[in-house]
Amino acid sequence: MQSNAIPESVRYPAGKGAWAVLWLCIAMTASCSRPPELRVLRGHTMGTTYTVRLGQTPDGTDMASLARDIDRELAEIVSVMSSYSPESAVSRFNRLQTTDWVEVPRSLEQLVEHAQTISRLTDGAFDITVAPLVNAWGFGPKPDRTEPPAPDTIAHALARVDFRLLRTRTDPPALQKTSPQVQIDLSAIAKGFAVDRIARLLLDRGVQDFLIEIGGELRSHGSHKDGTPWTVGIETPDSSGATIQRILTLDAATAIATSGDYRNFFEFNGHHYSHIIDPRTGWPAETALASVTVIADDCATADALATALSVLGPEQGLRLAQGNKVTALFAVRNGSGFTEQQTGGFERWLSR
């Protein structure tokens, strides 16, 4: 298998995805000393890009072999999780009009169960059965929209959305729809899951020092080659992507995900329609929240919670985060600028 990953030492521009976390020491050289020399792999996956930065590696590490393993792992995840691939396990499950148990790959059952846990925690603000609404609004595999769908189209899609209509079974791994028209979309958790899988791959191969990024979702472990911690920045939530809002020092293993409404959207009659759909109403979330960054032990959790808090907005989202000890930073629109709100645990990661 030929690898799509090639060594690279500079960051390239982001595409359509919501890139809200940047490599700080590359993006802001005035604020950082020159980083130690890194071994870097990059490539394409899930309609976006990935970068794997390595600090100290075990003697004899074969970078070409490691790159192939990473690409192989990501390709396997896409073959299971993608809504854009018609032959993926998710797409096949979505096409089935049945309430019978459907056997699926164990990784899919496990991720769906994890997603259901987040749905219960957020009372449906995160919901992977949102697929009919994502498609109706043109933010899924179907062509992009330039105007909102008709109200009856939204109502029809909304009637098929409810995480409680989906069940999981562990042995053998299977999913069940209690309504045959249920469909799932894992785009708000799959990139985080992929980051976690690549982290596990690296650790299994003895690599302890790495910083992984897929479409803006991050996971760190260890440090730079010289022992200095990984340092990243959170992008200011505007479409220019030109400035850094906050600098984070990752001096312990952690995962980070950011969700924002300022990159993937369309405007119609002067109104902004974001890709962040509220699965409870059927409409794009409309709050003063521009972006939210979540820090967690694993990236799938951070990814899903960032989406949920974006749906809930700054007031409800902050209450949920504080009540459940979620480490989060909220950027809230305030006239022409932004104000910050954060939970108690976030201060620990901010660079001094």
Side-chain angles (χ1 to χ4, degrees), residues 104-281:
V104 297
R106 187 167 300 279
S107 61
L108 178 55
E109 183 276 326
Q110 290 174 340
L111 186 58
V112 169
E113 178 54 36
H114 188 47
Q116 295 290 80
T117 300
I118 304 296
S119 295
R120 291 187 287 268
L121 175 69
T122 62
D123 198 22
F126 180 81
D127 189 339
I128 60 171
T129 69
V130 74
L133 289 168
V134 172
N135 292 332
W137 281 93
F139 293 114
K142 296 182 180 180
D144 294 345
R145 297 188 65 91
T146 56
E147 62 183 78
D152 59 341
T153 300
I154 298 172
H156 178 71
L158 184 61
R160 301 154 58 193
V161 175
D162 189 335
F163 70 93
R164 291 163 292 194
L165 300 175
L166 185 64
R167 297 175 179 172
T168 63
R169 185 183 71 195
T170 303
D171 191 21
L175 304 179
Q176 182 188 42
K177 309 174 185 182
T178 60
S179 172
Q181 292 187 321
V182 167
Q183 296 181 340
I184 62 175
D185 184 317
L186 299 175
S187 59
I189 193 171
K191 288 195 296 294
F193 173 79
V195 169
D196 292 333
R197 286 279 290 264
I198 298 306
R200 174 48 52 194
L201 183 154
L202 293 174
L203 290 170
D204 287 347
R205 282 154 178 73
V207 180
Q208 296 290 320
D209 300 304
F210 56 78
L211 180 63
I212 305 164
E213 176 273 333
I214 300 180
E217 322 297 22
L218 300 173
R219 184 159 171 173
S220 69
H221 196 277
S223 64
H224 282 282
K225 202 170 185 178
D226 66 352
T228 58
W230 300 108
T231 309
V232 299
I234 302 173
E235 187 179 87
T236 301
D238 59 46
S239 58
S240 70
T243 59
I244 296 296
Q245 176 189 356
R246 281 290 190 168
I247 302 168
L248 307 181
T249 298
L250 310 182
D251 55 3
T254 195
I256 307 173
T258 297
S259 178
D261 67 357
Y262 55 96
R263 284 294 182 89
N264 192 1
F265 64 92
F266 67 86
E267 292 183 344
F268 182 72
N269 287 343
H271 196 89
H272 178 102
Y273 295 96
S274 163
H275 75 291
I276 301 173
I277 307 296
D278 187 337
R280 304 164 302 174
T281 67

Side-chain angles (χ1 to χ4, degrees), residues 56-134:
Q56 189 70 39
T57 55
D59 291 341
T61 298
D62 184 335
M63 292 293 286
S65 176
L66 187 59
R68 288 192 295 271
D69 289 344
I70 289 171
D71 275 344
R72 188 178 297 111
E73 186 78 7
L74 291 172
E76 193 274 332
I77 293 169
V78 169
S79 75
V80 174
M81 311 290 180
S82 176
S83 299
Y84 290 78
S85 171
E87 296 309 314
S88 73
V90 162
S91 294
R92 294 197 303 270
F93 177 74
N94 284 345
R95 286 196 297 269
L96 292 174
Q97 299 281 308
T98 180
T99 57
D100 294 337
W101 284 102
V102 177
E103 291 193 20
V104 297
R106 187 167 300 279
S107 61
L108 178 55
E109 183 276 326
Q110 290 174 340
L111 186 58
V112 169
E113 178 54 36
H114 188 47
Q116 295 290 80
T117 300
I118 304 296
S119 295
R120 291 187 287 268
L121 175 69
T122 62
D123 198 22
F126 180 81
D127 189 339
I128 60 171
T129 69
V130 74
L133 289 168
V134 172

Side-chain angles (χ1 to χ4, degrees), residues 17 19 23-25 33-34 39 62 98 106 148 186 191 206 214 216 243 247 258 277 287 290 294 296 329 333 348:
W19 283 65
W23 311 117
L24 182 65
C25 285
S33 60
R34 185 176 179 85
R39 306 176 89 177
D62 184 335
T98 180
R106 187 167 300 279
L186 299 175
K191 288 195 296 294
I214 300 180
T243 59
I247 302 168
T258 297
I277 307 296
T287 75
V294 172
L329 174 71
R333 290 187 178 88
R348 175 251 186 277

